[in-house]
Amino acid sequence: MVKHITMDALQQVYLALAPKSLGIADLGCSSGSNSLSIIKDIVESVEAASCKIMIPPPEFRVYLNDLPTNDFNSIFKSLPDFYRDLNKERSGGLPLVFIAGYPGSFYGRLFPNDCLHFVHSSYSLHWLSKVPPSLYDKQGKPINRGSVHISASSPPLVSQAYYAQFQEDFSLFLRSRSEELTAGGRMVLIMLGRIGPDHVDRGNSFYWELLSRSLTILATQGEIKREDIDSYDVHFYAPTKDEMEAEIRREGSFEVERLEMLETEKELYKVSENYGTEVAMTVRAIQESMLSHHFGEGILDTLFEIYGRMVEEEMLKEEMNPITFVLVLRKL
């Protein structure tokens, strides 16, 4: 849905700056099959642009970033196949593509000054750097009892804590990238968000509400303790368009070239005929390690069976379409 936006922004950078060595960073690259597919698209898009203006394509410096716990070795093992696919059906010279892993948090500096021309980040920036500290009072007791995220029953301090953490994190992200991107460079940021000021809606927040309800069922069955639910918090925030733009203006290093809102339709889930199962698989893939560490591995199958069933039941009542924002930012 957003590939054309990403490639348009990339070609604008290349045509405007025409660097001989193009610096690209993918922040939150993960380690599955998608980790290198975006790089192949980028190389082919730039090659097409260079052909239009009749100059040789640049060399590509590609920096793959994720947290140190990411399985970078699996990416490196797939590089021979990546280069083989990239070089198929080429009669001319082969592109010079240099790929490196850069482990670390993108909430802070990762790269040297002015070494990047293009930054891509897909579905990573809605994850905060940490659970907001203000979710606990001075005695260390949780203030968001019974919920893993912002819910209708949460006191106002909860949404305020999440928003403050988002402001701190997003501002630091922008400030760090402003040092690393050259003037005229672009960022394409794809992240989950929400439509209006209400933190509780039928979009992204409701999936966390259903996780809270699923955990509560396990607590009533005696499988887990209620106080363990009280002390489990998801470090996730879905900002509004206004909240993102306010931080971009405040930081001052970028201008918004494009900002689009997309709804993820139910029909996009096609691995299984059961939408609830698909959503449960997605949330489990993201949360499994944290949930098993906090509650124990033994509850996971039952938890996500309950969760998938709840999602399916809610979809029969009313659609749940999570919101995605696509931002294209230009470095001033």
mmCIF file of all heavy atoms in Angstrom, residues 74-103:
data_model
loop_
_atom_site.group_PDB
_atom_site.id
_atom_site.type_symbol
_atom_site.label_atom_id
_atom_site.label_comp_id
_atom_site.label_asym_id
_atom_site.label_seq_id
_atom_site.Cartn_x
_atom_site.Cartn_y
_atom_site.Cartn_z
ATOM 1 N N SER A 74 20.738 -14.298 10.739
ATOM 2 C CA SER A 74 19.854 -14.875 9.723
ATOM 3 C C SER A 74 19.809 -13.994 8.476
ATOM 4 O O SER A 74 19.687 -14.499 7.356
ATOM 5 C CB SER A 74 18.444 -15.073 10.283
ATOM 6 O OG SER A 74 17.803 -13.833 10.505
ATOM 7 N N ILE A 75 19.926 -12.670 8.671
ATOM 8 C CA ILE A 75 19.974 -11.750 7.524
ATOM 9 C C ILE A 75 21.265 -11.973 6.738
ATOM 10 O O ILE A 75 21.254 -12.090 5.508
ATOM 11 C CB ILE A 75 19.885 -10.283 7.982
ATOM 12 C CG1 ILE A 75 18.597 -10.021 8.754
ATOM 13 C CG2 ILE A 75 19.970 -9.342 6.780
ATOM 14 C CD1 ILE A 75 18.488 -8.610 9.319
ATOM 15 N N PHE A 76 22.374 -12.034 7.462
ATOM 16 C CA PHE A 76 23.672 -12.206 6.797
ATOM 17 C C PHE A 76 23.736 -13.532 6.021
ATOM 18 O O PHE A 76 24.313 -13.597 4.932
ATOM 19 C CB PHE A 76 24.806 -12.139 7.813
ATOM 20 C CG PHE A 76 24.885 -10.825 8.548
ATOM 21 C CD1 PHE A 76 25.370 -10.756 9.848
ATOM 22 C CD2 PHE A 76 24.466 -9.646 7.950
ATOM 23 C CE1 PHE A 76 25.436 -9.537 10.524
ATOM 24 C CE2 PHE A 76 24.532 -8.435 8.620
ATOM 25 C CZ PHE A 76 25.021 -8.383 9.905
ATOM 26 N N LYS A 77 23.116 -14.578 6.580
ATOM 27 C CA LYS A 77 23.117 -15.875 5.903
ATOM 28 C C LYS A 77 22.321 -15.840 4.604
ATOM 29 O O LYS A 77 22.574 -16.639 3.695
ATOM 30 C CB LYS A 77 22.545 -16.950 6.830
ATOM 31 C CG LYS A 77 23.482 -17.342 7.963
ATOM 32 C CD LYS A 77 22.813 -18.322 8.912
ATOM 33 C CE LYS A 77 23.726 -18.659 10.089
ATOM 34 N NZ LYS A 77 23.039 -19.530 11.075
ATOM 35 N N SER A 78 21.349 -14.922 4.534
ATOM 36 C CA SER A 78 20.520 -14.841 3.321
ATOM 37 C C SER A 78 21.117 -13.907 2.266
ATOM 38 O O SER A 78 20.569 -13.782 1.167
ATOM 39 C CB SER A 78 19.114 -14.363 3.693
ATOM 40 O OG SER A 78 19.131 -13.024 4.158
ATOM 41 N N LEU A 79 22.251 -13.254 2.566
ATOM 42 C CA LEU A 79 22.848 -12.318 1.613
ATOM 43 C C LEU A 79 23.278 -12.959 0.288
ATOM 44 O O LEU A 79 23.057 -12.366 -0.776
ATOM 45 C CB LEU A 79 24.029 -11.585 2.255
ATOM 46 C CG LEU A 79 23.666 -10.480 3.257
ATOM 47 C CD1 LEU A 79 24.925 -9.880 3.863
ATOM 48 C CD2 LEU A 79 22.818 -9.405 2.594
ATOM 49 N N PRO A 80 23.877 -14.153 0.290
ATOM 50 C CA PRO A 80 24.232 -14.748 -1.018
ATOM 51 C C PRO A 80 23.016 -14.900 -1.941
ATOM 52 O O PRO A 80 23.100 -14.611 -3.135
ATOM 53 C CB PRO A 80 24.830 -16.107 -0.628
ATOM 54 C CG PRO A 80 25.371 -15.887 0.750
ATOM 55 C CD PRO A 80 24.410 -14.951 1.410
ATOM 56 N N ASP A 81 21.883 -15.343 -1.376
ATOM 57 C CA ASP A 81 20.660 -15.471 -2.182
ATOM 58 C C ASP A 81 20.163 -14.104 -2.635
ATOM 59 O O ASP A 81 19.679 -13.949 -3.768
ATOM 60 C CB ASP A 81 19.555 -16.171 -1.390
ATOM 61 C CG ASP A 81 19.839 -17.647 -1.165
ATOM 62 O OD1 ASP A 81 20.626 -18.215 -1.952
ATOM 63 O OD2 ASP A 81 19.287 -18.217 -0.211
ATOM 64 N N PHE A 82 20.293 -13.100 -1.762
ATOM 65 C CA PHE A 82 19.869 -11.739 -2.110
ATOM 66 C C PHE A 82 20.680 -11.209 -3.300
ATOM 67 O O PHE A 82 20.105 -10.691 -4.262
ATOM 68 C CB PHE A 82 20.058 -10.824 -0.899
ATOM 69 C CG PHE A 82 19.956 -9.357 -1.229
ATOM 70 C CD1 PHE A 82 18.720 -8.750 -1.416
ATOM 71 C CD2 PHE A 82 21.108 -8.582 -1.350
ATOM 72 C CE1 PHE A 82 18.631 -7.395 -1.717
ATOM 73 C CE2 PHE A 82 21.024 -7.230 -1.655
ATOM 74 C CZ PHE A 82 19.782 -6.643 -1.842
ATOM 75 N N TYR A 83 21.992 -11.355 -3.240
ATOM 76 C CA TYR A 83 22.845 -10.880 -4.334
ATOM 77 C C TYR A 83 22.583 -11.660 -5.623
ATOM 78 O O TYR A 83 22.592 -11.088 -6.719
ATOM 79 C CB TYR A 83 24.319 -10.985 -3.945
ATOM 80 C CG TYR A 83 24.753 -9.951 -2.934
ATOM 81 C CD1 TYR A 83 25.287 -10.320 -1.702
ATOM 82 C CD2 TYR A 83 24.637 -8.589 -3.213
ATOM 83 C CE1 TYR A 83 25.684 -9.368 -0.777
ATOM 84 C CE2 TYR A 83 25.040 -7.633 -2.288
ATOM 85 C CZ TYR A 83 25.558 -8.030 -1.074
ATOM 86 O OH TYR A 83 25.950 -7.083 -0.159
ATOM 87 N N ARG A 84 22.306 -12.956 -5.479
ATOM 88 C CA ARG A 84 22.024 -13.781 -6.664
ATOM 89 C C ARG A 84 20.731 -13.302 -7.337
ATOM 90 O O ARG A 84 20.682 -13.128 -8.557
ATOM 91 C CB ARG A 84 21.899 -15.239 -6.248
ATOM 92 C CG ARG A 84 21.952 -16.222 -7.418
ATOM 93 C CD ARG A 84 21.865 -17.670 -6.942
ATOM 94 N NE ARG A 84 22.856 -17.971 -5.925
ATOM 95 C CZ ARG A 84 22.575 -18.325 -4.674
ATOM 96 N NH1 ARG A 84 21.330 -18.389 -4.269
ATOM 97 N NH2 ARG A 84 23.541 -18.581 -3.819
ATOM 98 N N ASP A 85 19.694 -13.056 -6.533
ATOM 99 C CA ASP A 85 18.416 -12.570 -7.088
ATOM 100 C C ASP A 85 18.572 -11.185 -7.699
ATOM 101 O O ASP A 85 17.986 -10.881 -8.739
ATOM 102 C CB ASP A 85 17.348 -12.522 -5.998
ATOM 103 C CG ASP A 85 16.911 -13.902 -5.547
ATOM 104 O OD1 ASP A 85 17.191 -14.872 -6.281
ATOM 105 O OD2 ASP A 85 16.302 -14.003 -4.463
ATOM 106 N N LEU A 86 19.353 -10.344 -7.047
ATOM 107 C CA LEU A 86 19.553 -8.975 -7.526
ATOM 108 C C LEU A 86 20.254 -8.962 -8.888
ATOM 109 O O LEU A 86 19.990 -8.095 -9.734
ATOM 110 C CB LEU A 86 20.372 -8.189 -6.496
ATOM 111 C CG LEU A 86 20.492 -6.681 -6.680
ATOM 112 C CD1 LEU A 86 19.123 -6.009 -6.552
ATOM 113 C CD2 LEU A 86 21.448 -6.102 -5.645
ATOM 114 N N ASN A 87 21.131 -9.935 -9.089
ATOM 115 C CA ASN A 87 21.948 -9.943 -10.301
ATOM 116 C C ASN A 87 21.350 -10.752 -11.453
ATOM 117 O O ASN A 87 21.939 -10.839 -12.526
ATOM 118 C CB ASN A 87 23.341 -10.492 -9.972
ATOM 119 C CG ASN A 87 24.077 -9.595 -8.996
ATOM 120 O OD1 ASN A 87 23.771 -8.412 -8.892
ATOM 121 N ND2 ASN A 87 25.023 -10.161 -8.263
ATOM 122 N N LYS A 88 20.167 -11.342 -11.206
ATOM 123 C CA LYS A 88 19.513 -12.118 -12.260
ATOM 124 C C LYS A 88 19.100 -11.230 -13.429
ATOM 125 O O LYS A 88 18.662 -10.101 -13.235
ATOM 126 C CB LYS A 88 18.262 -12.810 -11.702
ATOM 127 C CG LYS A 88 18.522 -14.150 -11.031
ATOM 128 C CD LYS A 88 17.211 -14.748 -10.546
ATOM 129 C CE LYS A 88 17.473 -16.056 -9.800
ATOM 130 N NZ LYS A 88 16.218 -16.585 -9.208
ATOM 131 N N GLU A 89 19.209 -11.772 -14.613
ATOM 132 C CA GLU A 89 18.717 -11.119 -15.830
ATOM 133 C C GLU A 89 19.325 -9.729 -16.045
ATOM 134 O O GLU A 89 18.668 -8.815 -16.525
ATOM 135 C CB GLU A 89 17.188 -11.018 -15.797
ATOM 136 C CG GLU A 89 16.503 -12.366 -15.705
ATOM 137 C CD GLU A 89 15.003 -12.228 -15.539
ATOM 138 O OE1 GLU A 89 14.493 -11.100 -15.670
ATOM 139 O OE2 GLU A 89 14.358 -13.250 -15.295
ATOM 140 N N ARG A 90 20.584 -9.565 -15.652
ATOM 141 C CA ARG A 90 21.269 -8.283 -15.872
ATOM 142 C C ARG A 90 22.317 -8.469 -16.963
ATOM 143 O O ARG A 90 23.186 -9.318 -16.847
ATOM 144 C CB ARG A 90 21.941 -7.792 -14.600
ATOM 145 C CG ARG A 90 20.970 -7.278 -13.544
ATOM 146 C CD ARG A 90 21.725 -6.877 -12.292
ATOM 147 N NE ARG A 90 20.796 -6.474 -11.258
ATOM 148 C CZ ARG A 90 20.376 -5.242 -11.063
ATOM 149 N NH1 ARG A 90 20.823 -4.278 -11.861
ATOM 150 N NH2 ARG A 90 19.533 -4.936 -10.105
ATOM 151 N N SER A 91 22.205 -7.630 -17.973
ATOM 152 C CA SER A 91 23.200 -7.692 -19.048
ATOM 153 C C SER A 91 24.334 -6.699 -18.809
ATOM 154 O O SER A 91 25.455 -6.898 -19.257
ATOM 155 C CB SER A 91 22.539 -7.395 -20.392
ATOM 156 O OG SER A 91 21.866 -6.147 -20.357
ATOM 157 N N GLY A 92 24.035 -5.619 -18.075
ATOM 158 C CA GLY A 92 25.043 -4.591 -17.808
ATOM 159 C C GLY A 92 25.839 -4.907 -16.552
ATOM 160 O O GLY A 92 25.863 -6.034 -16.060
ATOM 161 N N GLY A 93 26.484 -3.853 -16.011
ATOM 162 C CA GLY A 93 27.279 -4.024 -14.799
ATOM 163 C C GLY A 93 26.407 -4.294 -13.587
ATOM 164 O O GLY A 93 25.241 -3.914 -13.535
ATOM 165 N N LEU A 94 26.970 -4.972 -12.624
ATOM 166 C CA LEU A 94 26.245 -5.298 -11.411
ATOM 167 C C LEU A 94 26.313 -4.127 -10.427
ATOM 168 O O LEU A 94 27.344 -3.462 -10.319
ATOM 169 C CB LEU A 94 26.842 -6.545 -10.768
ATOM 170 C CG LEU A 94 26.877 -7.795 -11.659
ATOM 171 C CD1 LEU A 94 27.514 -8.953 -10.908
ATOM 172 C CD2 LEU A 94 25.486 -8.161 -12.139
ATOM 173 N N PRO A 95 25.217 -3.878 -9.672
ATOM 174 C CA PRO A 95 25.243 -2.770 -8.710
ATOM 175 C C PRO A 95 26.157 -3.096 -7.529
ATOM 176 O O PRO A 95 26.261 -4.255 -7.115
ATOM 177 C CB PRO A 95 23.785 -2.665 -8.262
ATOM 178 C CG PRO A 95 23.225 -4.034 -8.447
ATOM 179 C CD PRO A 95 23.927 -4.581 -9.663
ATOM 180 N N LEU A 96 26.817 -2.072 -7.025
ATOM 181 C CA LEU A 96 27.645 -2.242 -5.833
ATOM 182 C C LEU A 96 26.780 -1.957 -4.612
ATOM 183 O O LEU A 96 26.397 -0.819 -4.356
ATOM 184 C CB LEU A 96 28.834 -1.288 -5.881
ATOM 185 C CG LEU A 96 29.913 -1.606 -6.920
ATOM 186 C CD1 LEU A 96 30.931 -0.479 -6.992
ATOM 187 C CD2 LEU A 96 30.616 -2.920 -6.591
ATOM 188 N N VAL A 97 26.454 -3.012 -3.884
ATOM 189 C CA VAL A 97 25.572 -2.889 -2.722
ATOM 190 C C VAL A 97 26.322 -3.418 -1.502
ATOM 191 O O VAL A 97 26.627 -4.609 -1.414
ATOM 192 C CB VAL A 97 24.262 -3.668 -2.921
ATOM 193 C CG1 VAL A 97 23.326 -3.446 -1.729
ATOM 194 C CG2 VAL A 97 23.575 -3.262 -4.219
ATOM 195 N N PHE A 98 26.632 -2.526 -0.573
ATOM 196 C CA PHE A 98 27.369 -2.888 0.641
ATOM 197 C C PHE A 98 26.393 -2.857 1.817
ATOM 198 O O PHE A 98 25.829 -1.815 2.148
ATOM 199 C CB PHE A 98 28.516 -1.913 0.873
ATOM 200 C CG PHE A 98 29.462 -1.801 -0.297
ATOM 201 C CD1 PHE A 98 29.361 -0.753 -1.203
ATOM 202 C CD2 PHE A 98 30.437 -2.765 -0.510
ATOM 203 C CE1 PHE A 98 30.218 -0.648 -2.282
ATOM 204 C CE2 PHE A 98 31.301 -2.675 -1.583
ATOM 205 C CZ PHE A 98 31.201 -1.618 -2.478
ATOM 206 N N ILE A 99 26.177 -4.005 2.454
ATOM 207 C CA ILE A 99 25.167 -4.136 3.508
ATOM 208 C C ILE A 99 25.841 -4.427 4.835
ATOM 209 O O ILE A 99 26.703 -5.298 4.938
ATOM 210 C CB ILE A 99 24.163 -5.249 3.157
ATOM 211 C CG1 ILE A 99 23.416 -4.895 1.865
ATOM 212 C CG2 ILE A 99 23.171 -5.468 4.297
ATOM 213 C CD1 ILE A 99 22.471 -5.976 1.376
ATOM 214 N N ALA A 100 25.426 -3.678 5.867
ATOM 215 C CA ALA A 100 25.986 -3.873 7.208
ATOM 216 C C ALA A 100 24.873 -3.837 8.246
ATOM 217 O O ALA A 100 23.845 -3.184 8.051
ATOM 218 C CB ALA A 100 27.011 -2.769 7.517
ATOM 219 N N GLY A 101 25.074 -4.558 9.346
ATOM 220 C CA GLY A 101 24.140 -4.526 10.469
ATOM 221 C C GLY A 101 24.583 -3.511 11.500
ATOM 222 O O GLY A 101 25.773 -3.426 11.821
ATOM 223 N N TYR A 102 23.635 -2.717 11.986
ATOM 224 C CA TYR A 102 23.916 -1.701 13.004
ATOM 225 C C TYR A 102 22.989 -1.902 14.199
ATOM 226 O O TYR A 102 21.920 -1.301 14.269
ATOM 227 C CB TYR A 102 23.710 -0.294 12.416
ATOM 228 C CG TYR A 102 24.975 0.377 11.932
ATOM 229 C CD1 TYR A 102 25.679 -0.133 10.850
ATOM 230 C CD2 TYR A 102 25.477 1.511 12.563
ATOM 231 C CE1 TYR A 102 26.839 0.468 10.399
ATOM 232 C CE2 TYR A 102 26.634 2.115 12.117
ATOM 233 C CZ TYR A 102 27.314 1.596 11.041
ATOM 234 O OH TYR A 102 28.465 2.200 10.603
ATOM 235 N N PRO A 103 23.361 -2.777 15.150
ATOM 236 C CA PRO A 103 22.492 -2.986 16.307
ATOM 237 C C PRO A 103 22.470 -1.780 17.242
ATOM 238 O O PRO A 103 23.484 -1.098 17.413
ATOM 239 C CB PRO A 103 23.120 -4.202 16.997
ATOM 240 C CG PRO A 103 24.545 -4.202 16.553
ATOM 241 C CD PRO A 103 24.574 -3.612 15.182
#
